[in-house]
Amino acid sequence: MKHSYMKSMVVACLATLSFIGFNATATAATNYKVVKGDSLWKLGKRYSVTIDDIKKLNNRQGDMIYIGETLAIPSKTKVLAAETTEPSTAAPANTAKPEAKPEAKPAEQETPAVSISASEKDLLARLVEAEAKGESYEGKVGVATVVLNRVDSPKFPDTVTGVIKQVVGKAYAFSPVQNGSINKPASEDSKKAVEQALTRKDRLDDSIYFYNPKTATDNWIRSRAVIKTIDHHVFAK
């Protein structure tokens, strides 16, 4: 009787140690600022945690993250499991297959402050490509911003298409429409610049004009208040 009792106590202790070894974790958190190209899957892989771990710590329901936001990343250190030499009495090993990792997702685009149709996005991106080809990404965003500022201004048509195809005097307001270069496809940078401009984070102080001071022949445009110079373009209002 005494021998059986002692054996039962040993088995119970081993099972308890095994349970503790497999489940005990020490949890800490690291603050991380999201950059372009990040996703929950990539962050989970980098810090050896699951997407659900990150979402739970940050009280998130969906998988969307935003460039520039700060996330708390859990950091888990596993405690080594105690081994047992009593396979006939110990709890059966967990044979479940590990959860398959989801495919990597790109960082979500910031939610636009204004919404335009897909065809107008394409038209605006082609104008940006024609007007700012060879300019920096910031310069491309600036050109798109001027068009959107004109849509908001009572001095101009109230749609993207109306602004881009506006006729001033005997010519179109934008030379790419006049010479046909707007018909060429937009680059990925120009498309992204349009998406960035639609967030309306930087409206360039509501600039409604831009011009190249080396090629501009209209003295009137030079009289406008200069807001900013980006690459070869002066932005004014």
Side-chain angles (χ1 to χ4, degrees):
M1 177 68 74
K2 184 176 181 181
H3 177 73
S4 298
Y5 173 76
M6 290 299 294
K7 183 176 182 180
S8 298
M9 289 295 291
V10 170
V11 171
C13 290
L14 288 174
T16 300
L17 289 173
S18 178
F19 176 80
I20 293 173
F22 279 115
N23 289 278
T25 57
T27 305
T30 300
N31 289 330
Y32 177 82
K33 190 171 184 180
V34 177
V35 298
K36 183 178 180 182
D38 278 338
S39 68
L40 288 180
W41 182 83
K42 287 184 178 179
L43 294 178
K45 184 176 180 182
R46 182 182 305 171
Y47 290 95
S48 299
V49 294
T50 67
I51 292 176
D52 287 339
D53 288 333
I54 300 175
K55 289 165 64 175
K56 183 177 180 181
L57 186 59
N58 291 274
N59 296 319
R60 296 292 181 87
Q61 297 296 324
D63 294 341
M64 184 179 292
I65 60 176
Y66 299 93
I67 296 171
E69 73 168 315
T70 299
L71 293 175
I73 307 297
S75 177
K76 295 187 176 182
T77 304
K78 294 185 177 180
V79 180
L80 293 177
E83 295 182 354
T84 177
T85 58
E86 294 278 342
S88 60
T89 56
N94 183 5
T95 58
K97 293 182 179 180
E99 182 180 352
K101 293 181 180 179
E103 293 183 0
K105 296 180 180 180
E108 299 287 345
Q109 283 280 357
E110 296 176 81
T111 303
V114 295
S115 178
I116 61 176
S117 68
S119 60
E120 285 196 314
K121 280 186 182 181
D122 177 64
L123 179 65
L124 181 52
R126 285 189 279 116
L127 177 71
V128 169
E129 180 71 12
E131 289 281 11
K133 186 174 183 179
E135 303 283 311
S136 66
Y137 178 74
E138 182 186 6
K140 289 179 172 64
V141 175
V143 170
T145 297
V146 165
V147 173
L148 296 176
N149 287 346
R150 287 192 178 192
V151 173
D152 292 339
S153 171
K155 299 178 182 179
F156 299 91
D158 57 3
T159 66
V160 169
T161 301
V163 167
I164 292 176
K165 295 186 176 181
Q166 183 181 19
V167 176
V168 180
K170 296 181 179 181
Y172 287 103
F174 295 97
S175 58
V177 182
Q178 188 75 24
N179 61 34
S181 59
I182 194 174
N183 296 318
K184 295 180 180 179
S187 65
E188 287 303 312
D189 258 9
S190 293
K191 293 176 183 178
K192 290 178 182 178
V194 169
E195 295 290 350
Q196 180 67 32
L198 286 170
T199 66
R200 309 303 273 147
K201 280 192 170 184
D202 182 3
R203 300 182 58 148
L204 289 176
D205 197 20
D206 294 327
S207 296
I208 51 178
Y209 304 104
F210 65 86
Y211 63 93
N212 186 333
K214 292 183 178 181
T215 60
T217 57
D218 187 349
N219 289 327
W220 178 85
I221 194 67
R222 296 176 184 273
S223 69
R224 311 308 299 173
V226 173
I227 302 302
K228 191 174 185 179
T229 299
I230 305 174
D231 301 324
H232 299 301
H233 281 145
V234 172
F235 293 84
K237 61 186 294 187

